[in-house]
């Protein structure tokens, strides 16, 4: 056996096997890390709940008399209106909110509800009712509190939507990394299998070559 053959059968085989094992181990650890990171990202949420204190406390300092805009920009003081079907029909309106949820105000609130997930709409009204009750108890203009709540709530839902989009983008990247890692693990596992087959069948091939060589020599002698 020549020096090259000895190096190939011993050193090169062992080096290749060690490298393949290290790569498989690293890729498996990478897949586990990606799975853990993906799980942590999946659990991240943006709380859209708004407490009355968040709205009322900034409004407590005395404010100058407001000048109502010529066109409604949000909730307005209740006005006398004739009987009409409320845009909020089908919802349970909190008692504290009822006198501010009529006429144009009802339509304004309904417009905001249209941007809220259907499952959260009743909670939206309940929170708004709690804000109005807290505003009245704190001597804060309820209309200002209603408008502030709508603005804050809209920002929360916008942030939640952005976070959801970011979450899905991150999870997609994690899935791609995990899939790539699995493919590489399969590739290096195949290398290990081929190396094992080559090592286990080496003596058989050597014996076969020796048999052919002996037969050839016998034919030549004959």
């Amino acid at each position: 056996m020549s020096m090259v053959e000895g190096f190939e059968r011993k050193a090169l085989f062992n080096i290749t096997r060690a490298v393949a094992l290290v790569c498989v181990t690293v890729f498996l650890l990478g897949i586990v890390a990606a799975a853990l990171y993906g799980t942590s990202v999946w659990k991240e949420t943006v709380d859209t709940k708004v407490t009355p204190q968040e709205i009322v406390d900034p409004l407590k300092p005395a404010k100058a008399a407001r000048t109502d805009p010529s066109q409604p920009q949000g909730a307005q003081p209740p006005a006398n209106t004739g009987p009409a079907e409320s845009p909020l029909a089908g919802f349970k309106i909190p008692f504290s909110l009822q006198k501010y949820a009529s006429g144009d105000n009802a339509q304004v609130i309904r417009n905001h509800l249209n941007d809220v997930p259907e499952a959260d709409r009743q909670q939206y009204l309940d929170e708004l009712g709690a804000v109005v009750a807290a505003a009245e108890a704190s001597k804060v203009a309820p209309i200002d509190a209603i408008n502030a709540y709508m603005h804050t709530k809209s920002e929360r839902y916008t942030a939640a939507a952005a976070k959801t989009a970011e979450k899905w983008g991150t999870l997609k990247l994690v899935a791609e990394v995990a899939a790539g890692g699995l493919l590489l693990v399969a590739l290096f596992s195949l290398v290990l299998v081929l190396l094992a087959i080559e090592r286990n069948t080496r003596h058989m091939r050597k014996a076969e070559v020796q048999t052919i060589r002996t037969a050839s020599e016998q034919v030549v002698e004959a």
Side-chain angles (χ1 to χ4, degrees):
M1 182 174 60
S2 65
M3 183 180 299
V4 175
E5 290 177 343
F7 174 78
E8 179 184 359
R9 293 182 180 182
K10 295 182 180 179
L12 185 59
F13 176 85
N14 291 331
I15 292 173
T16 305
R17 182 175 61 179
V19 170
L21 285 173
V22 169
C23 290
V24 169
T25 303
V26 170
F27 292 141
L28 286 175
L29 291 176
I31 292 172
V32 172
L36 293 176
Y37 178 68
T39 301
S40 65
V41 170
W42 178 258
K43 292 181 179 179
E44 291 180 358
T45 58
V46 175
D47 188 6
T48 58
K49 184 177 181 180
V50 177
T51 63
Q53 289 71 26
E54 292 180 67
I55 303 302
V56 174
D57 289 347
L59 298 175
K60 282 184 178 179
K63 300 175 63 176
R66 296 184 303 109
T67 301
D68 292 337
S70 57
Q71 296 295 330
Q73 301 298 317
Q76 303 295 316
N80 294 326
T81 58
E85 182 179 357
S86 172
L88 299 176
F91 292 100
K92 181 180 178 181
I93 309 301
F95 178 77
S96 59
L97 181 62
Q98 289 178 4
K99 61 182 177 180
Y100 301 100
S102 60
D104 292 338
N105 286 348
Q107 187 59 55
V108 170
I109 295 174
R110 179 66 202 195
N111 291 340
H112 282 271
L113 282 178
N114 290 338
D115 297 330
V116 175
E118 187 173 354
D120 296 342
R121 291 177 181 177
Q122 184 59 54
Q123 179 184 352
Y124 184 101
L125 293 174
D126 293 340
E127 288 182 4
L128 185 54
V131 167
V132 171
E136 291 177 338
S138 301
K139 307 301 181 182
V140 171
I143 298 303
D144 291 339
I146 291 173
N147 288 329
Y149 171 83
M150 291 178 175
H151 177 72
T152 301
K153 196 71 170 180
S154 177
E155 289 182 338
R156 295 285 173 86
Y157 278 116
T158 300
K163 187 65 178 179
T164 299
E166 179 184 353
K167 178 191 297 185
W168 282 110
T170 302
L171 291 176
K172 181 180 178 181
L173 178 61
V174 169
E176 292 174 351
V177 170
L182 287 173
L183 182 61
L184 291 173
V185 167
L187 177 62
F188 281 97
S189 297
L190 179 61
V191 171
L192 289 173
V193 170
L194 293 176
L195 288 173
I197 292 174
E198 192 278 335
R199 185 172 188 179
N200 293 333
T201 59
R202 183 183 302 162
H203 67 282
M204 298 173 59
R205 290 185 286 106
K206 185 176 181 180
E208 183 179 355
V209 171
Q210 184 64 33
T211 301
I212 294 174
R213 182 179 300 172
T214 302
S216 299
E217 291 176 353
Q218 291 176 353
V219 170
V220 171
E221 291 177 357

